[in-house]
Amino acid sequence: MKKAISTDKAPAAIGPYSQAIEVNGIIYTSGVIPVDPATGVIPEGVQAQAEQAISNLCALLEAAGTSAANVVKTTVFIKEMNDFGTINEIYAKYFTGTYPARSCVEVARLPKDVLIEIEAVAVK
């Protein structure tokens, strides 16, 4: 049985999808973008956007009853591969210890023209 997870501490879905789904104690998040859920504002610059996106992801994980410590896989979509180093620095602040497996892909365009989007798979 699958269970939808949602929180107002992460950006609301902007289409026909759930913020996250839980199945058998595994949490699958949708892609999370760097929108401040309280104001709807997208911060300027890749560093601020990476902080906001990963912070939003952590809020979603918390709403699902887990945390960044229990993430087993992430996929990071970035607008510019030249930002990889900056994003890595921010990422390493949130994911410590045994790092999750990760893919990082440069894409042509992301929703709302943001610079980063991140999704995760976590265990409870």
Side-chain angles (χ1 to χ4, degrees), residues 36-116:
D36 182 319
T39 64
V41 172
I42 297 169
E44 292 289 323
V46 70
Q47 185 171 0
Q49 286 195 22
E51 286 277 1
Q52 185 69 60
I54 298 172
S55 176
N56 289 345
L57 176 67
C58 289
L60 183 54
L61 292 168
E62 184 178 309
T66 191
S67 70
N70 293 322
V71 171
V72 295
K73 172 74 167 90
T74 62
T75 305
V76 182
F77 304 94
I78 61 177
K79 173 73 174 147
E80 174 61 56
M81 195 57 76
N82 290 332
D83 292 332
F84 184 80
T86 301
I87 291 167
N88 257 351
E89 289 176 21
I90 306 303
Y91 185 95
K93 290 175 19 180
Y94 291 87
F95 298 100
T96 60
T98 303
Y99 296 115
R102 178 180 77 179
S103 300
C104 184
V105 182
E106 181 182 69
V107 296
R109 193 167 180 204
L110 290 165
K112 298 187 179 256
D113 291 317
V114 298
L115 304 174
I116 180 173

